Each structure stands twice: as C-alpha cells, then as structure tokens.
Amino acid sequence: MVNSSVCPADTGHHPSATGVELADIVRRFGPEYRSQYGQVMMPSQKRALSDIAACCTEELGGKLHQCDDCGKPFWCFHCCGNRACPKCNGKQTQEWLEKRQGELLPCDYFHGVTTVPSEVHGVFKRHQKYMYGLLMKVSAEAVKELCAKKRHLGALPGILAVLHTWNGQLGYHPHVHMLITGGGITTDGEHWEPARGEFLVPVGVLSSKIAAKFRDALEKQKPNLFASIPAGVWQREWVSFLKHYGHGNDAVLNYLSRYVFRTAISNARIIGMDDTHVTFRYKDRHANVWRTVRLPGVEFLRRFLQHVLPRGFHKVRYYGLWHHSKRNLSSRAWLLLILEKPTDAAGPVKIADLLEALSQLAEIDDRPYTGGDDDDAARPRCPHCGSARTRFLTECPRPGVP
C-alpha cells in the first residue's frame, strides 16, 4: 500500500501538537506491557490495545484516492471505533446529539458530581460492572427522591449520568457526573415545576443519602463485599458539588463537550515520547495551571488501561424524565414549558446549531472529509498538496468484510 494516508471522516480526531498520539505509545510500549500484565488484563483492555494500535492504519483497510492536481495517490484508512480511542469520539457525539433532539428541554440545568472515598477504590476495581452500575443508580435515585419532596422541588426531573474513572494524571478516581434539569413534572403530570433559582436540593443531605443508599444496597446484595469495607466510609463525603450550570442550549452543549464522550486522555494532552518514557500535561484544578507528568511507557499504559470499562458496560445512563419508560412525560414537559414560558421555549433545541458549535470545540473541521461519499464536497483533501480535486480509485475492505 501507499504510505501516505489520512484519517477518515468519522474519527473526530484531536491532533497532538507534537505529532505523538496514543496509538504511537500503544505501538511502542504495548508489547512490553502485555508481557508484564497480559495474564491479568481484562478482555476489554486487550481489545483496546489492539484496536488503538491499528486505528487509521492499513491493517483496518481503507479507500484509495488520487489527486487530480498533483497526481499522487493516498489512502484514507478506517478508524477502529473503540470507545477508549481518542480519535473515534466525534461521530459518536454527533449521533448522540441527533438522538437526543426531542429530549433536551429549554430549561435551567444543574451539574452534580458524586465521588467515592478512596477506601473503596480497591473494591471498585475488582468488581467494576457491579460497583459502577450501583453508584450511578443510587446517585440518580437520591436526586429523584430529594426532588420529589415539596420543600425542594416537588417534581420529577430529567437526569443524565456519565461515569468517569480518572483524574488529570490518569489516577484512579471513579465518579459520576450528572446533568439534572432545573425543574420537573409534578406527580399529577399537569405542571412543570421550575427550580428555585440556583437551588435544587441540599448538597449535604444528598451526600448522606447517596452513601446510605449505596450502603444498604451493597449490604443486601453483596454482603461479603460489604463486610470488607471500613465502617467509616459511610460517614465520608460522597458528593463533590451540585451547582447551577446554566440555561438551555449552552448548558447542554458545554456538558456534552466536557463530559459525555471524553476519554481518559486526548491526543492533544500528549507532549512527547522517547524510548522509555511518555510526557503529558494535565490541568491542576486547585492552582488553575497546566502541569506536566513524565512516566515510564508501561506505567503510562497501566494508568490508561485501568480506565477502559468492562465490555458491555454503559457509561451514559438516563433517569427520571429521560428514562426510556418516561418518554411520554418528557414530551409532556416540552408542551408544559412551551405553554408556561412561551418566550423561553419557542421550540425544540436546534441540534444543527449544537453540532456546528461542537465541531468547533472538538476541532472536527480538521478532518479530511466534510460530508458523505456521494457529493463533491465530501472528497478528501490531498495530504500532499491540499487540493480538494481528488477522486476515488478503489477500496480495501475492513478485515472480515468480503
């Protein structure tokens, strides 16, 4: 195959300023990592290593094009599509937005974060599917129960929960981000009850409630696991914060771009790689400055791979008005908002506007394709001269495709 290549349109690729990407690190240190940790790796981690190493290479096949101006051929190789790959999230985010068109309510939003004490990190690592799922479930249930109380909201809100397991230095830090509607449908289904300004529910009460619900569920369902956890854990803080996040489109868009399809590290944060080490940057939230970390290559992969979720685990879940069983209530919320606040709710959120803004945030316009394969505007630009006057020659299909 011809060596010159570009990534396909559906990658949402975030280029590294130095040209070093996660895939380069995986190819360089992956074999050494497998030799040390191969016996204890989860299937999803093994798959992530192999997929990321092959992403946008001839191993996955691609399409051969030729430039009409300079006459040089070039390949557009397929991306891997693995959810841990930082190249492959742009298209997922766009598709997610399109599916959510009828659910994004024109109201205020709150952002909450549920954390867990460090004493339970070991149990979380050993029983990931159960512990992650339980944390997401009890966090949303606690919010719903407090919102149901008349003195707080007296209504059912919509909740989007997203699991993250990392901090800036790729350390293990399981926590749940929640986007919560600043209001909800009353129990009779007849009214939209808005939040009272920038208050939704008391954070201290929410923290205690989440800890208690997690404790009770774990003791009932997994008594052996419960017995292994120190009693003092249940008195620790389980909620980092719950704050008013904004109104309407901007609040939703900021949340999506920051939390929904983010991977543990982006290519833009990778500074460099040598024969033994990897250097990357992270944001020190307390000092509000960027710092750098230099790790041995194998240690970098160990930290990265601990954030590859088990196969089949859904890191994005919906509760309250946004749960699939409440679709009718979600639609009713639209009608109530339009009737009660016609100036604020003139119509559904314009997904096209969200996609355009998201493409700017994610640098999606840097991709070689700008559309489908059937129109002139969709032709990839030549990596040699930059011309858009290119034509398709042939295709090498993905492995396993006849």
Side-chain angles (χ1 to χ4, degrees), residues 238-306:
W238 283 59
V239 175
S240 293
F241 65 84
L242 176 65
K243 296 181 179 179
H244 183 258
Y245 199 62
H247 180 86
N249 295 20
D250 290 339
V252 174
L253 175 60
N254 288 335
Y255 184 88
L256 295 178
S257 62
R258 288 172 182 250
Y259 303 110
V260 174
F261 287 106
R262 176 177 288 181
T263 55
I265 189 167
S266 65
N267 286 325
R269 287 176 54 202
I270 299 173
I271 296 176
M273 174 184 68
D274 56 32
D275 290 340
T276 59
H277 285 71
V278 175
T279 304
F280 65 95
R281 65 190 182 105
Y282 73 96
K283 186 69 172 289
D284 184 336
R285 301 295 177 185
H286 297 291
N288 196 31
V289 295
W290 285 94
R291 303 189 188 279
T292 61
V293 180
R294 187 171 184 264
L295 297 175
V298 171
E299 170 61 14
F300 174 88
L301 288 183
R302 186 198 68 80
R303 291 196 188 186
F304 170 76
L305 287 172
Q306 67 182 341

Side-chain angles (χ1 to χ4, degrees), residues 120-137:
V120 299
H121 284 184
V123 178
F124 267 70
K125 283 186 177 181
R126 293 191 296 272
H127 306 273
Q128 293 185 21
K129 269 193 174 182
Y130 174 78
M131 298 296 277
Y132 292 159
L134 181 61
L135 179 63
M136 298 178 77
K137 179 181 179 182

